[in-house]
Amino acid sequence: LKAKAAKAKEAAAKKKAVAAKRKEAAKAKALKVKKIAAKKRAAAKAKEVAAKKRARIAKKNAALKLKAAKAKLAQKKAAAKAKMQAAKAKVAAKKAAVKAKKDKIKSSGPVTARSLFMQQQKGKGMGLKQLQEKFNTLGAAEKKALVDQAKKNLAKRNEIKQS
């Protein structure tokens, strides 16, 4: 009886030991699973952080590219505007030069005796027909003086045109 009881006790102890081992193995497995899950979570978090960082960098690069493109466009616009202004200035300078030459030519005075006479009589209250009649009734000496002056003016005008 004692031997049976001892055997039963031994068997119970063995069962208890096996159960304890199983419990220990289950605990170890659970711990291992927990560790693996924690590693997976950490990896996912790291991946998410890296993705956010990449997105931030990409956004920053896109903004920089946009800024550079805008600057380039503004530079092109400024260059085109400057070119257009230079062309306008060139045209204006040419017009001014032509006008100056024309004014200089006009400043040489009347080149015909009749126009010289008209200019001298200007402001004396006579009409055009009266001036014509007065010119036609001028003496030869007076006309010669006007013709000589007109020839000098014509020579001046031609000299200006040559320059």
Side-chain angles (χ1 to χ4, degrees):
L1 210 83
K2 266 187 182 178
K4 244 186 190 180
K7 261 188 184 179
K9 217 177 191 183
E10 205 177 294
K14 259 186 186 178
K15 262 188 184 178
K16 215 176 188 184
V18 168
K21 261 188 184 177
R22 277 189 187 148
K23 205 175 186 183
E24 195 69 35
K27 269 188 183 177
K29 195 172 184 178
L31 194 63
K32 204 175 185 182
V33 168
K34 256 187 182 177
K35 278 184 180 177
I36 290 170
K39 276 185 182 177
K40 281 185 180 177
R41 277 196 304 274
K45 181 100 172 160
K47 229 180 194 180
E48 190 181 322
V49 167
K52 280 183 179 177
K53 190 176 182 182
R54 278 195 301 273
R56 228 181 10 254
I57 291 169
K59 194 175 178 182
K60 195 175 183 182
N61 286 345
L64 288 173
K65 277 184 185 176
L66 183 67
K67 195 175 182 182
K70 280 183 180 177
K72 200 172 185 182
L73 185 68
Q75 197 175 14
K76 274 187 181 178
K77 274 187 179 179
K81 192 175 181 181
K83 195 175 182 182
M84 205 149 125
Q85 283 179 336
K88 280 183 182 178
K90 193 176 180 183
V91 168
K94 197 171 185 179
K95 280 185 181 178
V98 168
K99 189 180 183 323
K101 186 135 187 178
K102 282 184 179 179
D103 289 346
K104 201 172 181 186
I105 289 170
K106 282 181 186 175
S107 73
S108 65
V111 292
T112 64
R114 183 182 303 277
S115 57
L116 183 63
F117 177 76
M118 297 266 193
Q119 191 184 49
Q120 288 172 351
Q121 300 300 313
K122 196 166 140 187
K124 292 190 178 176
M126 283 190 266
L128 192 61
K129 282 188 178 179
Q130 291 171 319
L131 284 172
Q132 297 268 7
E133 286 172 17
K134 194 169 181 182
F135 178 75
N136 291 336
T137 59
L138 282 178
E142 290 171 316
K143 271 193 183 176
K144 187 177 181 338
L146 289 172
V147 168
D148 289 343
Q149 183 61 43
K151 277 185 183 175
K152 283 182 188 173
N153 289 348
L154 184 62
K156 270 194 228 173
R157 181 170 287 189
N158 288 334
E159 195 178 299
I160 292 167
K161 280 184 180 178
Q162 294 300 314
S163 65

